[in-house]
Amino acid sequence: MLRQIVLLLVASVLLVACSEQSTKFHTFQEGQQELRNINYLLLNTANSSKASVWPFSEHYLEARHLAYQGLKNTQLNESQQAQLNYLIIAERYPERYFVWPVQRDVVSQASSQGDYSAQSLASWLELVETQLITAEQSNLKLNKIELKFLHEMVKSHLGNNDESVQTALNKLDQYLTQYQPRSKLGLVGLANGKDWYQSKLNYFSGETKAPLNWLSEIQMSLKQQVSTDFVLPVSDSHSTPLVMNYFSDNHQHNGLDWQLEFVDPRQSKRELTLAEQYFWQVMMETDLGIHYHTWSEQQARVNLMKRLGVEQAQAEWLIEDIVLYPGMSFIFVSKEEGTAL
């Protein structure tokens, strides 16, 4: 009996040891390059990676987790450590069910690679649908803006030359045609969405503060300011978040998040003008409204048009940015001169 217990203990230790294995890096740069390789199909730029790591597949999730664990053992500065902690926390949340990030054209990026495999792409497209169905069963759904972007992306690739890819795209298109999005735009509409949003606020702002406290502070500050004219850098794409237009061109620091093109937002933001400070306070207010206080698209649109004096189309573009990149506006929270708060 004692011998069996000892064997069980040894087996348990071995299992734990195997499960805790991580990729070994000597430097932060090595870990960042590994994450670039893992996320190469989600990048806006060409990448020399030869490995086909399809976004949010089992291989992807495992490789990314091991890379995060490996980065723990490298020498990180305070900002790099904060971003790594934030990304590790995000692994707990339901992002894995939404396999195709709607702001990135994975099909075009995959097709441009030297090791492109049509059959692999077809299998990944099937995974996109399978995971959305699984998510629905747990009451996890895309919102209407995410659904619109994903469906448009799928439609843009209908007519693919490969039969297996075309079949998978047609099937996904039919599924999305009948898909019923969740009623709430913000993260609050997802299971554990409030906790997920809080983790984003904590990271991007660099402070731990409840959304209600943030809203009170922001609205108090807005009362003391007068809106001023500024040029709104709105494009026709959401492939990168709006905040990146306010990063320094000459002093960008390396980061770990593919959504921010592997730039560290907290170290790379530039000094804001008074007009830009006002703008980002309004964006923070609307961010909280959508993702925490369940504002509808109409409520958010009215707030942006009233506060900023923008046209409806501009307000709708800003809402899309907030929906696709929750909490990022809080990058500009700081007690330093030239920042929004």
Side-chain angles (χ1 to χ4, degrees), residues 116-126 160-172:
Y116 169 68
S117 163
Q119 186 55 56
S120 294
L121 173 56
S123 297
W124 180 76
L125 289 167
E126 291 171 2
N160 190 282
N161 292 330
D162 184 85
E163 184 178 350
S164 62
V165 173
Q166 181 59 42
T167 298
L169 283 167
N170 282 335
K171 192 166 178 289
L172 183 55

Side-chain angles (χ1 to χ4, degrees), residues 88-321:
I88 289 173
I89 288 171
E91 291 184 283
R92 306 173 190 170
Y93 296 108
E95 185 182 42
R96 71 184 72 88
Y97 290 108
F98 307 119
V99 174
W100 189 340
V102 300
Q103 63 270 52
R104 297 296 170 96
D105 189 350
V106 176
V107 174
S108 291
Q109 183 74 331
S111 301
S112 69
Q113 300 299 316
D115 64 340
Y116 169 68
S117 163
Q119 186 55 56
S120 294
L121 173 56
S123 297
W124 180 76
L125 289 167
E126 291 171 2
L127 177 66
V128 172
E129 181 180 353
T130 299
Q131 287 294 82
L132 283 173
I133 292 170
T134 302
E136 278 196 277
Q137 294 169 353
S138 299
N139 202 29
L140 298 170
K141 295 184 177 183
L142 298 168
N143 62 45
K144 65 179 182 179
I145 288 175
E146 294 165 335
L147 175 60
K148 179 189 77 170
F149 277 103
L150 180 56
H151 205 175
E152 287 175 354
M153 191 80 74
V154 170
K155 287 179 178 179
S156 73
H157 291 289
L158 292 176
N160 190 282
N161 292 330
D162 184 85
E163 184 178 350
S164 62
V165 173
Q166 181 59 42
T167 298
L169 283 167
N170 282 335
K171 192 166 178 289
L172 183 55
D173 176 51
Q174 292 171 8
Y175 170 71
L176 294 175
T177 298
Q178 56 80 43
Y179 188 96
Q180 294 298 313
R182 69 177 189 264
S183 59
K184 297 173 183 176
L185 282 181
L187 289 185
V188 70
L190 295 173
N192 300 318
K194 286 191 175 183
D195 293 335
W196 196 7
Y197 186 55
Q198 182 71 64
S199 76
K200 290 178 180 290
L201 294 182
N202 295 348
Y203 167 64
F204 289 119
S205 71
E207 300 181 37
T208 302
K209 192 180 297 184
L212 286 174
N213 293 339
W214 276 125
L215 187 62
S216 176
E217 184 176 330
I218 291 165
Q219 291 182 334
M220 181 66 70
S221 181
L222 285 170
K223 285 181 181 179
Q224 299 169 6
Q225 298 189 48
V226 178
S227 177
T228 54
D229 293 334
F230 63 95
V231 177
L232 183 62
V234 173
S235 71
D236 59 355
S237 170
H238 289 289
S239 61
T240 57
L242 180 59
V243 294
M244 294 195 72
N245 287 280
Y246 298 82
F247 288 178
S248 170
D249 292 330
N250 301 321
H251 297 92
Q252 292 193 355
H253 296 259
N254 289 332
L256 300 169
D257 190 350
W258 64 266
Q259 293 193 73
L260 288 158
E261 301 297 316
F262 292 95
V263 173
D264 185 329
R266 285 167 39 167
Q267 294 189 92
S268 302
K269 62 184 179 182
R270 63 168 171 79
E271 185 173 316
L272 303 178
T273 66
L274 288 174
E276 290 168 344
Q277 291 174 43
Y278 178 84
F279 168 74
W280 280 107
Q281 286 185 41
V282 175
M283 288 291 282
M284 290 178 215
E285 178 189 37
T286 311
D287 199 305
L288 288 163
I290 290 173
H291 289 293
Y292 192 83
H293 293 288
T294 68
W295 281 8
S296 66
E297 190 173 5
Q298 181 180 359
Q299 286 175 293
R301 186 189 307 117
V302 168
N303 189 64
L304 290 168
M305 293 175 70
K306 177 184 175 182
R307 294 278 201 191
L308 300 175
V310 295
E311 299 176 354
Q312 180 172 326
Q314 292 175 309
E316 289 173 352
W317 192 96
L318 292 173
I319 290 168
E320 290 168 355
D321 187 83

